[in-house]
Amino acid sequence: MSDSTPAVYSITLELDGERHQFQCRENQTVLSAADDAGIAVPSSCCAGVCTTCAARIQEGEVHQPDAMGVKEDLRKDGYALLCVCFPRSDLRAAAGQEDALYQAQFGQYQS
Ligand code: FES
């Protein structure tokens, strides 16, 4: 018999210079858990495409198979899309990274 109770992780999220802490289940997106905690993380498509909800993971592991808006090597570098991002451990992350992610992905194409 398997234990079907989802694990719950502790998330520390920096946004606009403020640090927020909240809990997130393993089967819940970080964006939805932030929303439940009353934290207004910028978001738009909520489907892993637009990158409005971009964050950079500083500590911890995430699962984000649907993060189409982030290249694989940048995911390894810690970039995550919170609307399609599920925690796999306690996390420390910085939200509001849309511009930084854009620069990291497309900066080399601009002169
Ligand atoms: S809100 Fe569009 S990628 Fe997350």
Side-chain angles (χ1 to χ4, degrees):
M1 203 172 91
S2 68
D3 179 2
S4 60
T5 307
V8 177
Y9 297 110
S10 169
I11 315 294
T12 304
L13 193 66
E14 282 173 35
L15 177 65
D16 297 333
E18 279 188 55
R19 181 170 296 187
H20 305 275
Q21 272 195 317
F22 53 94
Q23 308 280 302
C24 183
R25 296 187 310 274
E26 64 180 339
N27 60 355
Q28 178 181 30
T29 65
V30 177
L31 183 70
S32 134
D35 193 49
D36 286 353
I39 303 157
V41 176
S43 65
S44 179
C45 73
C46 290
V49 176
C50 74
T51 75
T52 305
C53 66
R56 195 148 190 198
I57 308 297
Q58 294 158 331
E59 262 179 50
E61 296 293 323
V62 298
H63 181 59
Q64 50 172 349
D66 295 332
M68 288 172 277
V70 186
K71 290 188 212 161
E72 185 63 32
D73 54 339
L74 291 173
R75 291 191 207 182
K76 287 187 186 134
D77 224 21
Y79 284 102
L81 298 176
L82 297 180
C83 67
V84 289
C85 174
F86 301 90
R88 288 295 175 263
S89 71
D90 289 348
L91 294 181
R92 196 163 61 80
Q97 300 297 308
E98 184 182 14
D99 290 348
L101 175 60
Y102 184 88
Q103 273 303 320
Q105 296 210 101
F106 304 117
Q108 74 269 34
Y109 303 120
Q110 295 169 344
S111 57

